Amino acid sequence: MTATTPQHVGALHGESRFARLTSAVRGLRTRTWMGSPDKWLLIVGGVLMPLGILLIILGWVGASRTPLPFEQTPYLISGGLLGLGLVFAGGFVYFAYWQTVRIRESREQTQQLVASLGRLEAMLQAGGVAGADGATTATFVATSNGSIFHRQDCTVVAGRSDLRRVDPDRDGLAACRICDPLDDGR
């Protein structure tokens, strides 16, 4: 008879956990044949609505072949009401499919918008100089021998290659009247 040591028991416990994890992952992989739930909603709605319409037509055909009301009642109940119920159920399933697609598209658009805003924020921060409090302050430029400072996006200096960065407080330059670089409202 062999004695089990605490290390041996821990190894057995680890193996059983690994076996359970392996079987759970295998179970997840087998669910992929079912496809996405929204496609199933589309298929179920596509089957229920035409089936309901077919039952309504068959109920009408059966009821129209007899003039006696007691013979028409079973056709009305089995064909008409059941068919109407299937049409409504199929419509609700189609509505659920539509809502699922709308929510997914909305989430994708929101993610794209957040990513775009993040890129814009990064570009704006790259154009400014970080202050002591972490906020960005605008970077001002002037021509190589100019006496007026501008914002980087000013039309006066757009496309010029002879620009230098300036500090308006230290360099004693005048503000441009076109871009008004000291205006915080931009």
Side-chain angles (χ1 to χ4, degrees), residues 15-32:
E15 289 176 13
S16 67
R17 285 181 56 195
F18 182 73
R20 284 185 295 160
L21 179 64
T22 303
S23 67
V25 169
R26 194 173 301 124
L28 288 174
R29 289 183 184 157
T30 58
R31 290 186 198 158
T32 58

Side-chain angles (χ1 to χ4, degrees), residues 6-133:
Q7 294 172 345
H8 183 65
V9 172
L12 288 176
H13 180 66
E15 289 176 13
S16 67
R17 285 181 56 195
F18 182 73
R20 284 185 295 160
L21 179 64
T22 303
S23 67
V25 169
R26 194 173 301 124
L28 288 174
R29 289 183 184 157
T30 58
R31 290 186 198 158
T32 58
W33 67 269
M34 293 177 18
S36 62
D38 58 330
K39 289 182 182 177
W40 279 106
L41 290 173
L42 181 64
I43 292 169
V44 169
V47 169
L48 287 180
M49 287 185 73
L51 183 64
I53 291 171
L54 180 68
L55 282 176
I56 291 171
I57 291 172
L58 289 175
W60 176 79
V61 168
S64 68
R65 292 185 181 203
T66 180
L68 302 173
F70 71 89
E71 290 179 350
Q72 292 176 353
T73 303
Y75 289 110
L76 173 69
I77 292 172
S78 63
L81 294 179
L82 181 62
L84 189 63
L86 288 177
V87 168
F88 275 116
F92 283 123
V93 171
Y94 265 135
F95 181 73
Y97 164 74
W98 176 65
Q99 287 293 334
T100 304
V101 170
R102 278 191 55 220
I103 289 171
R104 181 182 309 117
E105 288 175 354
S106 174
R107 287 179 180 166
E108 289 172 0
Q109 288 174 351
T110 301
Q111 288 174 350
Q112 290 173 354
L113 181 64
V114 167
S116 296
L117 287 175
R119 287 191 305 268
L120 282 173
E121 183 180 6
M123 283 194 274
L124 288 173
Q125 287 178 350
V129 177
D133 59 353

Side-chain angles (χ1 to χ4, degrees), residues 106-174:
S106 174
R107 287 179 180 166
E108 289 172 0
Q109 288 174 351
T110 301
Q111 288 174 350
Q112 290 173 354
L113 181 64
V114 167
S116 296
L117 287 175
R119 287 191 305 268
L120 282 173
E121 183 180 6
M123 283 194 274
L124 288 173
Q125 287 178 350
V129 177
D133 59 353
T136 59
T137 58
T139 302
F140 302 114
V141 294
T143 57
S144 59
N145 54 359
S147 61
I148 298 174
F149 68 96
H150 310 267
R151 287 195 329 231
Q152 289 181 336
D153 60 346
C154 181
T155 56
V156 175
V157 295
R160 295 192 59 164
S161 60
D162 62 336
L163 298 177
R164 59 188 168 101
R165 291 183 185 234
V166 296
D167 183 9
D169 296 331
R170 192 179 42 162
D171 294 335
L173 301 174

